[in-house]
Short mmCIF file of all heavy atoms in Angstrom, two decimals:
data_model
loop_
_atom_site.label_atom_id
_atom_site.label_comp_id
_atom_site.label_asym_id
_atom_site.label_seq_id
_atom_site.Cartn_x
_atom_site.Cartn_y
_atom_site.Cartn_z
N GLN A 768 -50.49 27.56 20.21
CA GLN A 768 -51.80 28.01 19.75
C GLN A 768 -52.82 28.06 20.89
O GLN A 768 -53.62 28.99 21.00
CB GLN A 768 -52.29 27.10 18.62
CG GLN A 768 -51.43 27.15 17.37
CD GLN A 768 -51.77 26.04 16.39
OE1 GLN A 768 -52.44 25.06 16.74
NE2 GLN A 768 -51.30 26.17 15.15
N MET A 769 -52.80 27.05 21.77
CA MET A 769 -53.74 26.99 22.89
C MET A 769 -53.55 28.16 23.85
O MET A 769 -54.49 28.61 24.51
CB MET A 769 -53.56 25.68 23.66
CG MET A 769 -53.94 24.44 22.90
SD MET A 769 -53.65 22.97 23.94
CE MET A 769 -53.67 21.67 22.70
N LEU A 770 -52.32 28.69 23.96
CA LEU A 770 -52.04 29.79 24.87
C LEU A 770 -52.66 31.10 24.39
O LEU A 770 -52.72 32.08 25.14
CB LEU A 770 -50.53 29.98 25.03
CG LEU A 770 -49.77 28.84 25.74
CD1 LEU A 770 -48.27 29.10 25.70
CD2 LEU A 770 -50.24 28.68 27.18
N GLY A 771 -53.12 31.16 23.13
CA GLY A 771 -53.69 32.37 22.57
C GLY A 771 -55.12 32.60 23.01
O GLY A 771 -55.67 31.88 23.86
N GLU A 772 -55.75 33.59 22.40
CA GLU A 772 -57.10 33.99 22.81
C GLU A 772 -58.20 33.29 22.03
O GLU A 772 -59.29 33.07 22.57
CB GLU A 772 -57.24 35.51 22.66
CG GLU A 772 -56.30 36.27 23.59
CD GLU A 772 -56.51 37.77 23.57
OE1 GLU A 772 -57.48 38.23 22.91
OE2 GLU A 772 -55.73 38.49 24.21
N ARG A 773 -57.91 32.93 20.77
CA ARG A 773 -58.96 32.30 19.96
C ARG A 773 -58.35 31.30 18.99
O ARG A 773 -57.24 31.50 18.48
CB ARG A 773 -59.75 33.34 19.16
CG ARG A 773 -60.77 34.11 19.96
CD ARG A 773 -61.61 35.00 19.05
NE ARG A 773 -60.81 36.04 18.41
CZ ARG A 773 -60.48 37.20 18.99
NH1 ARG A 773 -60.87 37.45 20.23
NH2 ARG A 773 -59.76 38.09 18.35
N LEU A 774 -59.13 30.24 18.70
CA LEU A 774 -58.82 29.28 17.65
C LEU A 774 -59.97 29.31 16.66
O LEU A 774 -61.13 29.02 17.03
CB LEU A 774 -58.65 27.87 18.23
CG LEU A 774 -57.51 27.68 19.24
CD1 LEU A 774 -57.61 26.31 19.90
CD2 LEU A 774 -56.16 27.82 18.56
N LEU A 775 -59.69 29.66 15.42
CA LEU A 775 -60.71 29.78 14.37
C LEU A 775 -60.54 28.66 13.37
O LEU A 775 -59.43 28.39 12.92
CB LEU A 775 -60.60 31.14 13.68
CG LEU A 775 -60.62 32.37 14.61
CD1 LEU A 775 -60.43 33.64 13.79
CD2 LEU A 775 -61.92 32.41 15.40
N ASP A 776 -61.67 28.02 13.01
CA ASP A 776 -61.61 26.88 12.07
C ASP A 776 -62.76 27.00 11.07
O ASP A 776 -63.68 26.19 11.04
CB ASP A 776 -61.71 25.57 12.85
CG ASP A 776 -61.33 24.36 11.99
OD1 ASP A 776 -60.98 24.56 10.81
OD2 ASP A 776 -61.41 23.23 12.50
N PRO A 777 -62.70 28.02 10.19
CA PRO A 777 -63.82 28.24 9.25
C PRO A 777 -64.01 27.10 8.26
O PRO A 777 -65.13 26.91 7.77
CB PRO A 777 -63.43 29.55 8.56
CG PRO A 777 -61.95 29.62 8.68
CD PRO A 777 -61.63 29.01 10.01
N LEU A 778 -62.96 26.37 7.93
CA LEU A 778 -63.05 25.28 6.97
C LEU A 778 -63.29 23.93 7.65
O LEU A 778 -63.32 22.90 6.97
CB LEU A 778 -61.77 25.22 6.13
CG LEU A 778 -61.41 26.49 5.35
CD1 LEU A 778 -60.10 26.30 4.60
CD2 LEU A 778 -62.53 26.86 4.38
N HIS A 779 -63.41 23.95 8.97
CA HIS A 779 -63.57 22.72 9.75
C HIS A 779 -62.43 21.74 9.47
O HIS A 779 -62.63 20.54 9.31
CB HIS A 779 -64.93 22.05 9.46
CG HIS A 779 -66.09 22.94 9.78
ND1 HIS A 779 -66.45 23.25 11.08
CD2 HIS A 779 -66.96 23.61 8.97
CE1 HIS A 779 -67.50 24.07 11.05
NE2 HIS A 779 -67.83 24.30 9.79
N SER A 780 -61.22 22.29 9.43
CA SER A 780 -60.04 21.46 9.18
C SER A 780 -59.75 20.54 10.34
O SER A 780 -59.26 19.42 10.16
CB SER A 780 -58.82 22.36 8.92
OG SER A 780 -59.03 23.19 7.81
N GLU A 781 -60.04 21.01 11.57
CA GLU A 781 -59.72 20.22 12.76
C GLU A 781 -60.95 19.73 13.51
O GLU A 781 -60.89 18.71 14.19
CB GLU A 781 -58.84 21.04 13.71
CG GLU A 781 -57.42 21.23 13.24
CD GLU A 781 -56.42 21.10 14.39
OE1 GLU A 781 -56.85 20.97 15.54
OE2 GLU A 781 -55.21 21.12 14.11
N SER A 782 -62.04 20.47 13.44
CA SER A 782 -63.22 20.09 14.22
C SER A 782 -64.45 20.70 13.57
O SER A 782 -64.36 21.38 12.55
CB SER A 782 -63.07 20.59 15.66
OG SER A 782 -63.22 22.00 15.72
N ASP A 783 -65.59 20.48 14.21
CA ASP A 783 -66.83 21.07 13.70
C ASP A 783 -67.16 22.37 14.41
O ASP A 783 -68.25 22.92 14.26
CB ASP A 783 -67.99 20.08 13.84
CG ASP A 783 -68.16 19.60 15.27
OD1 ASP A 783 -67.42 20.07 16.15
OD2 ASP A 783 -69.04 18.74 15.51
N ARG A 784 -66.21 22.91 15.16
CA ARG A 784 -66.40 24.16 15.89
C ARG A 784 -65.72 25.29 15.12
O ARG A 784 -64.50 25.31 14.99
CB ARG A 784 -65.81 24.07 17.30
CG ARG A 784 -66.44 22.96 18.15
CD ARG A 784 -65.61 22.75 19.42
NE ARG A 784 -65.56 23.93 20.27
CZ ARG A 784 -66.28 24.08 21.38
NH1 ARG A 784 -67.11 23.11 21.77
NH2 ARG A 784 -66.17 25.16 22.13
N PRO A 785 -66.48 26.27 14.61
CA PRO A 785 -65.84 27.36 13.85
C PRO A 785 -64.97 28.26 14.71
O PRO A 785 -64.05 28.89 14.21
CB PRO A 785 -67.04 28.13 13.28
CG PRO A 785 -68.18 27.79 14.19
CD PRO A 785 -67.94 26.39 14.66
N GLU A 786 -65.27 28.34 16.02
CA GLU A 786 -64.46 29.19 16.90
C GLU A 786 -64.40 28.57 18.28
O GLU A 786 -65.39 28.07 18.81
CB GLU A 786 -65.04 30.61 16.98
CG GLU A 786 -64.23 31.54 17.87
CD GLU A 786 -64.72 32.97 17.84
OE1 GLU A 786 -65.44 33.33 16.88
OE2 GLU A 786 -64.38 33.74 18.76
N THR A 787 -63.19 28.58 18.87
CA THR A 787 -62.99 28.06 20.22
C THR A 787 -62.16 29.06 21.00
O THR A 787 -61.14 29.56 20.51
CB THR A 787 -62.26 26.70 20.19
OG1 THR A 787 -62.99 25.79 19.35
CG2 THR A 787 -62.15 26.11 21.59
N GLU A 788 -62.61 29.35 22.22
CA GLU A 788 -61.86 30.28 23.06
C GLU A 788 -60.58 29.63 23.54
O GLU A 788 -60.56 28.47 23.97
CB GLU A 788 -62.72 30.68 24.26
CG GLU A 788 -62.05 31.71 25.17
CD GLU A 788 -62.90 32.06 26.37
OE1 GLU A 788 -64.05 31.56 26.44
OE2 GLU A 788 -62.43 32.82 27.23
N GLY A 789 -59.47 30.37 23.47
CA GLY A 789 -58.20 29.86 23.94
C GLY A 789 -57.98 30.17 25.41
O GLY A 789 -58.88 30.67 26.11
N MET A 790 -56.79 29.92 25.90
CA MET A 790 -56.48 30.12 27.31
C MET A 790 -56.21 31.60 27.63
O MET A 790 -56.24 31.99 28.80
CB MET A 790 -55.27 29.27 27.70
CG MET A 790 -55.55 27.78 27.58
SD MET A 790 -54.08 26.74 27.80
CE MET A 790 -53.63 27.13 29.48
N GLY A 791 -55.92 32.40 26.63
CA GLY A 791 -55.82 33.84 26.82
C GLY A 791 -54.54 34.32 27.49
O GLY A 791 -54.49 35.45 27.98
N LEU A 792 -53.51 33.51 27.50
CA LEU A 792 -52.25 33.93 28.13
C LEU A 792 -51.36 34.71 27.18
O LEU A 792 -50.45 35.42 27.63
CB LEU A 792 -51.50 32.70 28.66
CG LEU A 792 -52.17 31.99 29.84
CD1 LEU A 792 -51.42 30.71 30.20
CD2 LEU A 792 -52.26 32.92 31.05
N LEU A 793 -51.57 34.60 25.88
CA LEU A 793 -50.80 35.34 24.88
C LEU A 793 -51.78 36.04 23.94
O LEU A 793 -52.81 35.46 23.57
CB LEU A 793 -49.88 34.40 24.09
CG LEU A 793 -48.74 33.73 24.86
CD1 LEU A 793 -48.02 32.72 23.98
CD2 LEU A 793 -47.76 34.76 25.41
N PRO A 794 -51.47 37.27 23.47
CA PRO A 794 -52.42 38.03 22.64
C PRO A 794 -52.37 37.62 21.16
O PRO A 794 -51.89 38.38 20.31
CB PRO A 794 -51.93 39.47 22.84
CG PRO A 794 -50.46 39.34 23.05
CD PRO A 794 -50.28 38.06 23.81
N LEU A 795 -52.86 36.45 20.88
CA LEU A 795 -52.82 35.97 19.50
C LEU A 795 -54.05 35.13 19.21
O LEU A 795 -54.72 34.61 20.11
CB LEU A 795 -51.54 35.17 19.26
CG LEU A 795 -51.24 33.99 20.20
CD1 LEU A 795 -51.82 32.69 19.68
CD2 LEU A 795 -49.73 33.85 20.38
N GLU A 796 -54.36 34.99 17.92
CA GLU A 796 -55.40 34.08 17.48
C GLU A 796 -54.88 33.28 16.30
O GLU A 796 -54.06 33.76 15.51
CB GLU A 796 -56.70 34.82 17.12
CG GLU A 796 -56.63 35.63 15.85
CD GLU A 796 -57.99 36.23 15.46
OE1 GLU A 796 -58.86 36.35 16.35
OE2 GLU A 796 -58.15 36.60 14.28
N THR A 797 -55.36 32.06 16.19
CA THR A 797 -54.88 31.14 15.15
C THR A 797 -56.06 30.70 14.30
O THR A 797 -57.10 30.29 14.82
CB THR A 797 -54.20 29.92 15.78
OG1 THR A 797 -53.08 30.36 16.53
CG2 THR A 797 -53.73 28.95 14.70
N THR A 798 -55.88 30.77 12.98
CA THR A 798 -56.88 30.29 12.03
C THR A 798 -56.33 29.07 11.34
O THR A 798 -55.22 29.11 10.77
CB THR A 798 -57.21 31.38 10.98
OG1 THR A 798 -57.69 32.54 11.66
CG2 THR A 798 -58.28 30.87 10.02
N PHE A 799 -57.08 27.96 11.37
CA PHE A 799 -56.64 26.73 10.73
C PHE A 799 -56.94 26.79 9.24
O PHE A 799 -58.05 27.15 8.83
CB PHE A 799 -57.31 25.52 11.37
CG PHE A 799 -56.91 25.33 12.80
CD1 PHE A 799 -57.81 25.59 13.83
CD2 PHE A 799 -55.62 24.95 13.13
CE1 PHE A 799 -57.43 25.44 15.15
CE2 PHE A 799 -55.23 24.80 14.44
CZ PHE A 799 -56.14 25.06 15.46
#
Side-chain angles (χ1 to χ4, degrees):
Q768 296 169 344
M769 294 179 197
L770 294 174
E772 296 186 5
R773 283 186 296 277
L774 298 170
L775 307 177
D776 193 1
L778 302 178
H779 300 289
S780 300
E781 287 221 354
S782 72
D783 56 3
R784 300 168 62 103
E786 181 174 341
T787 304
E788 183 182 356
M790 296 172 63
L792 292 174
L793 294 174
L795 55 90
E796 71 175 21
T797 299
T798 301
F799 295 108

